[in-house]
Amino acid sequence: MGRRRRRVVKTIKRTLPKVFACPQCGMVTVRITSHEDEISHDVIYLVACGNVACGVRRELRYPAKKEEIDVYNTFVDDFMRASS
Ligand SMILES: [Zn+2]
């Protein structure tokens, strides 16, 4: 019974999904996903906190790809400005 086991191929991925600290709830649950706008070809970054009780989300748009850390810094700056 049960599914046949897949042959285990160990691939150690070094590119773990990066998570960042949330400026609102303080948990390290912020993830950044990106996609390209089909029309404008802008890169749209969606910054979202994975803590359901928090739920901070922000969309940032750039004309070119950016480092996630830069996107994150902008997100935090934005957040601080909005909440102060
Ligand atoms: Zn949060």
Side-chain angles (χ1 to χ4, degrees):
M1 292 287 277
R3 277 187 297 170
R4 200 190 285 176
R5 265 201 187 182
R6 276 180 141 194
R7 195 150 52 106
V8 179
V9 184
K10 279 204 175 172
T11 48
I12 298 157
K13 278 196 179 167
R14 288 191 170 275
T15 50
L16 285 166
K18 279 181 210 136
V19 283
F20 299 95
C22 177
Q24 179 158 282
C25 68
M27 290 176 76
V28 187
T29 45
V30 169
R31 280 169 206 280
I32 300 171
T33 51
S34 64
H35 67 271
E36 197 184 292
D37 188 303
E38 278 172 31
I39 299 152
S40 64
H41 295 286
D42 284 348
V43 187
I44 298 159
Y45 289 90
L46 179 65
V47 187
C49 179
N51 177 5
V52 286
C54 170
V56 166
R57 282 167 77 92
R58 203 148 270 170
E59 228 181 61
L60 300 166
R61 206 177 252 266
Y62 294 102
K65 274 213 161 234
K66 278 208 161 227
E67 292 290 329
E68 282 188 355
I69 188 70
D70 291 336
V71 177
Y72 171 72
N73 284 332
T74 306
F75 160 72
V76 173
D77 282 355
D78 241 50
F79 181 87
M80 295 306 181
R81 218 171 298 146
S83 62
S84 62

